[in-house]
Amino acid sequence: MQKREKMTLTTKVVIGMVAGIVTGLVINMAGLNAPQSFTHLYIVDGLFHVVGTMFITALKMLVVPLVLFSLISGVLGIGDIGQLGKVGAKAFVLYLLTTALAIALGITVAVFSGVGEGAHLTTTAAFAAKEAPPLSQVLIDIIPGNIVDAMAEGKMLQIIFFSILLGISILMTGEKAKPLVAGIEIMNEVMMHMVNIIMAVAPYAVFALIAKAIAGLGLDLLMNLAGYVIVLVTALLLHLYGTLMVIFKLFTGLDVRMLLRKLRDVQVFAFSTSSSNATIPVTLRTVTERLGVDNSVASFTVPFGATINMDGTAIMQGVATVFIANAYGVDLGFSGYLTVIMMSVLASIGTAGVPGVGLIMLSMVFTQVGLPVEGIGLILGVDRLLDMIRTAVNVSGDAVVSVVVGKSERKFDPAIYSDPEAGILTEEELHIDETVEEELAEVVEALEHDRGKS
Ligand code: ASP
């Protein structure tokens, strides 16, 4: 009985996803999504849109307080500040390495497949290039001029910087800060419960998000660009199941199948939200409670990865560059591709994990290597779906590096990792114990009573 209950949420989310794909396909293929139709107005852009957006907004609502409290408590719990620097350096190097490998793989697969060669494609939509920030600005932007601003805008690197500094300052305060430390620990736990509450509605939200996305896809466009889509998806899968798993096995020696099994939730969330940032609560929960990485490492590596690590997006940069270069008959040559690799790695550091950001990075890469930025218009129509897939690869990379760093720093619990049931969300976790409810009400009453007396 217990076991069946435990399986419910994960299974439900997957069912939601599959049902969403089927529903979306039916709406799309039956032509029910015409601009003024009932289905479009009230179902796709009505119900699905509302439910999906409310869910993504709720996840985003969690991100800032969750990162703040878990990172401060991570710094407090690391036990040795020197170790913090080591965790940061390791994560940074691994994130850059996986991103560079990803784009190299993307370019290789694309070059060998000859994708886009002889294509006589016409631009389907105009693409207005937006700027990705230059490296100097990325460095300056790590420091928040105003932390409230940083939080309001969800600027992850700034929030990370402030939280670490605050954690260190609390440590320096010493003995006096003990109640504050306890308070932060409790808040961290409280935030995790909030994640659980939001996750309870995930199956329905995932259904709505995916049904809407698929209903709105230009499937005929997808056929036109089948070559590009197939090559890109192949490279993404090769990276996820090949490169990342080899790195994981080499560095940790752990069972890869267990990792893939436990990553499913995170991937489904990333797939349906198209945002590494919005997926942070789920990634953090999975990495700590299901994969056994200590919060002192995960609270840093997960939000850091969501911002600077984008393996899937990097692969898309590689494949798209080769595709457009071939389609326009431009020969980029070895040095051109090297530039693409460097630019993509740098661009991934400065850009946040939000939907569609890969296209912004791509315009930067194109400008650098002299490809026409309008070329991006060719792939715009299918980018929605590809964004979903590459975001799932992005977050998988974040989780892999988190486990690698956690294990190498001995901030890792192998018992949690190898327990298939560990951290699975059960109905019980959403249950409020009646005695606790009464006890806490009494505490509040007593406090109010004391306040009344003084
Ligand atoms: N949506 C991706 C992410 O959030 C970024 C992108 O490829 O556009 O990780």
Side-chain angles (χ1 to χ4, degrees):
M1 185 66 210
Q2 173 88 355
K3 198 159 184 179
R4 269 190 53 199
E5 263 184 25
K6 277 190 173 180
M7 285 309 295
T8 332
L9 189 82
T10 310
T11 317
K12 271 194 199 163
V13 171
V14 175
I15 293 174
M17 184 175 103
V18 175
I21 293 176
V22 174
T23 311
L25 280 176
V26 169
I27 294 178
N28 194 310
M29 290 163 125
L32 293 173
N33 203 24
Q36 290 307 320
S37 66
F38 176 86
T39 324
H40 176 77
L41 290 178
Y42 297 101
I43 308 286
V44 178
D45 261 14
L47 185 67
F48 293 170
H49 175 68
V50 172
V51 174
T53 312
M54 282 173 80
F55 180 67
I56 294 193
T57 314
L59 281 174
K60 285 197 203 149
M61 166 186 85
L62 297 176
V63 171
V64 174
L66 182 68
V67 169
L68 191 72
F69 288 116
S70 69
L71 194 48
I72 300 173
S73 86
V75 174
L76 297 174
I78 206 156
D80 164 14
I81 290 299
Q83 201 175 3
L84 195 69
K86 255 170 63 197
V87 168
K90 276 186 190 172
F92 187 67
V93 171
L94 278 170
Y95 281 143
L96 290 196
L97 176 78
T98 52
T99 307
L101 286 175
I103 184 164
L105 177 75
I107 291 177
T108 312
V109 173
V111 166
F112 278 105
S113 70
V115 67
E117 271 169 17
H120 300 290
L121 294 166
T122 44
T123 313
T124 50
F127 181 76
K130 274 195 224 134
E131 292 269 300
L135 188 62
S136 53
Q137 197 56 41
V138 173
L139 286 176
I140 294 172
D141 281 348
I142 293 177
I143 319 278
N146 180 331
I147 189 60
V148 179
D149 251 1
M151 289 185 194
E153 289 179 26
K155 294 203 166 141
M156 215 41 71
L157 293 182
Q158 301 195 347
I159 298 171
I160 291 176
F161 180 83
F162 179 78
S163 309
I164 293 179
L165 211 58
L166 189 60
I168 295 174
S169 310
I170 294 174
L171 285 175
M172 289 166 78
T173 310
E175 195 67 18
K176 260 187 285 176
K178 271 192 175 163
L180 183 60
V181 173
I184 287 168
E185 282 307 319
I186 295 169
M187 273 312 290
N188 188 26
E189 213 173 296
V190 169
M191 288 311 302
M192 272 297 170
H193 281 291
M194 219 190 250
V195 175
N196 292 347
I197 298 174
I198 305 290
M199 283 189 49
V201 296
Y204 313 101
V206 164
F207 167 79
L209 282 167
I210 292 185
K212 177 172 189 271
I214 306 266
L217 275 184
L219 285 184
D220 36 346
L221 212 66
L222 211 60
M223 297 315 285
N224 277 341
L225 289 167
Y228 169 68
V229 175
I230 292 171
V231 171
L232 179 46
V233 173
T234 308
L236 287 170
L237 293 177
L238 277 176
H239 184 72
L240 175 60
Y241 294 106
T243 320
L244 282 180
M245 292 309 122
V246 170
I247 289 179
F248 183 77
K249 189 79 195 172
L250 274 180
F251 281 100
T252 66
L254 294 165
D255 178 17
V256 165
R257 265 169 314 170
M258 186 62 85
L259 173 77
L260 286 171
R261 176 176 177 169
K262 292 189 173 183
L263 279 185
R264 219 174 297 149
D265 271 353
V266 187
Q267 289 165 343
V268 173
F269 274 79
F271 184 77
S272 31
T273 60
S274 287
S275 167
S276 309
N277 269 16
T279 312
I280 288 176
V282 188
T283 319
L284 194 55
R285 188 182 183 285
T286 301
V287 169
T288 51
E289 294 181 20
R290 305 226 341 100
L291 294 170
V293 179
D294 194 82
N295 181 57
S296 59
V297 169
S299 64
F300 172 72
T301 54
V302 170
F304 192 44
T307 311
I308 75 157
N309 184 51
M310 293 186 190
D311 296 358
T313 307
I315 290 172
M316 172 268 208
Q317 314 285 304
V319 175
T321 309
V322 176
F323 175 68
I324 302 291
N326 281 344
Y328 279 87
V330 179
D331 184 14
L332 286 179
F334 186 69
S335 68
Y337 288 126
L338 217 54
T339 314
V340 174
I341 296 183
M342 277 173 55
M343 288 303 296
S344 296
V345 173
L346 290 180
S348 76
I349 299 177
T351 43
V354 293
V357 91
L359 291 176
I360 300 175
M361 286 164 61
L362 198 58
S363 66
M364 190 172 156
V365 172
F366 276 21
T367 315
Q368 193 68 30
V369 293
L371 279 176
V373 175
E374 315 84 73
I376 296 177
L378 290 177
I379 51 171
L380 210 54
V382 290
D383 198 66
R384 179 75 187 87
L385 176 73
L386 297 171
D387 193 4
M388 295 162 85
I389 305 175
R390 66 179 184 252
T391 308
V393 177
N394 289 349
V395 294
S396 304
D398 301 344
V400 165
V401 169
S402 298
V403 180
V404 170
V405 176
K407 183 148 189 295
S408 79
E409 289 294 310
R410 293 182 214 288
K411 295 280 181 188
F412 172 76
D413 185 343
I416 297 184
Y417 183 85
S418 43
D419 175 6
E421 306 280 304
I424 284 188
L425 196 59
T426 63
E427 306 275 323
E428 275 156 50
E429 262 158 282
L430 295 169
H431 176 76
I432 302 175
D433 187 341
E434 274 167 36
T435 39
V436 171
E437 225 172 358
E438 280 165 21
E439 277 170 24
L440 287 184
E442 277 168 26
V443 172
V444 174
E445 217 172 285
L447 284 173
E448 275 171 3
H449 185 72
D450 284 353
R451 211 177 302 146
K453 271 204 281 185
S454 59

